[in-house]
Amino acid sequence: MSQKKYEIKSSCPRCGDTILAVLTPEEIKTRFGDIPNIELDCHECMLKYKTEMKTVCPEWDKDCHSQSTLK
């Protein structure tokens, strides 16, 4: 049985390049942790920026994974 995967999708605020990653819950927790804000790197212009998990992956946020530490 395959594990559910989530899309992390964002656009760089400086150059507009799209960032897309398809990750399992374990990969998300390893890479970003269970926090409401995450840091992303644009591979085009090298900008590091913070954004909300609920913006880049609404489905993950809806499943309450990113909010678990706030309860």
Side-chain angles (χ1 to χ4, degrees), residues 4-64:
K4 182 170 179 142
K5 294 193 177 191
Y6 295 89
E7 276 190 1
I8 306 290
K9 187 174 182 179
S10 179
S11 293
C12 174
R14 181 188 291 162
C15 71
D17 190 51
T18 300
I19 297 166
L20 175 64
V22 180
L23 305 169
T24 65
E26 287 78 25
E27 292 170 326
I28 290 174
K29 287 179 184 179
T30 300
R31 192 177 290 185
F32 304 114
D34 269 340
I35 56 174
N37 297 311
I38 62 172
E39 189 172 292
L40 296 172
D41 300 325
C42 177
H43 298 288
E44 186 66 29
C45 70
M46 307 313 248
L47 177 71
K48 289 184 183 236
Y49 64 97
K50 288 187 179 182
T51 188
E52 294 181 317
M53 179 60 91
K54 66 181 179 183
T55 304
V56 298
C57 190
E59 186 179 25
W60 175 259
D61 190 67
K62 185 181 126 228
D63 289 345
C64 297

